[in-house]
Amino acid sequence: MCPVSPAKEKALREKLESLGVFEKDIRESFIRSRGKGGQNVNKTSTCVYLRHIPTGIEVKCRKERSQRLNRYHARVLLYSKIERLIRGRKSEEEQRIAKIRRQKRKRSKRAKEKMLEEKRLQSIKKSERSFRYVPGED
């Protein structure tokens, strides 16, 4: 796993500062992760916990086996949460989840009847296209 490039870290720092979030406002602690990762996860504290003191927003990240990568990902999460709070718009992740929820939602009775009627009409069309063999008509 490659660490995050300095350019990416600098860009993230600038994004956070544009929202008025500074490192002095963030409390960072490290916790032992759980799950995959074997001995590395059991021996080192790779899970990163961030708390933005002015807003009270808390973020916990244990995506990677590396503490450094988790620190970066946690700050990205913190940025998106604070941006959503300040700018009042949904994050890409929330939009993706909402889309999946809409797709899985049960159809209304009327929509289901309409869909079934369209399927029935399509079935009739297809059955009329097929060749029918009638005995005695050669």
Side-chain angles (χ1 to χ4, degrees):
M1 293 195 203
C2 60
V4 182
S5 69
K8 278 188 175 182
E9 285 181 354
K10 184 180 177 197
L12 178 62
R13 204 172 316 111
E14 288 171 358
K15 279 180 166 181
L16 285 167
E17 287 173 4
S18 72
L19 290 177
V21 178
F22 302 98
E23 282 297 317
K24 64 179 181 180
D25 298 333
I26 298 174
R27 291 288 169 258
E28 182 176 49
S29 57
F30 304 99
I31 309 165
R32 286 227 175 114
S33 295
R34 295 190 334 229
K36 295 178 184 174
Q39 189 175 7
N40 180 62
V41 167
N42 297 332
K43 287 175 70 177
T44 59
S45 299
T46 55
C47 180
V48 177
Y49 171 81
L50 297 179
R51 180 184 168 111
H52 185 241
I53 295 166
T55 59
I57 293 176
E58 298 174 349
V59 171
K60 193 185 283 187
C61 181
R62 57 176 176 245
K63 272 184 183 177
E64 307 289 337
R65 288 177 59 186
S66 156
Q67 190 182 76
R68 187 166 177 195
L69 279 171
N70 282 333
R71 288 182 76 197
Y72 175 78
H73 289 302
R75 280 171 172 70
V76 170
L77 277 171
L78 184 70
Y79 169 76
S80 65
K81 281 190 172 189
I82 292 173
E83 183 185 36
R84 187 177 66 241
L85 179 74
I86 292 173
R87 303 223 167 102
R89 70 169 202 244
K90 287 187 175 181
S91 68
E92 294 84 34
E93 181 66 15
E94 281 184 339
Q95 287 174 346
R96 187 184 66 78
I97 291 168
K99 181 180 178 183
I100 291 169
R101 197 172 286 140
R102 280 194 309 272
Q103 288 172 343
K104 289 184 175 182
R105 188 172 50 206
K106 194 175 176 182
R107 284 190 174 101
S108 69
K109 192 173 182 180
R110 186 173 175 202
K112 188 174 181 180
E113 286 171 357
K114 184 179 177 184
M115 182 265 305
L116 289 173
E117 178 62 22
E118 287 173 4
K119 283 180 111 178
R120 190 179 65 76
L121 291 173
Q122 186 67 22
S123 170
I124 291 169
K125 263 195 245 178
K126 286 183 89 171
S127 64
E128 288 174 353
R129 281 188 217 141
S130 66
F131 173 76
R132 289 197 183 97
Y133 173 75
V134 180
E137 290 186 16
D138 287 340

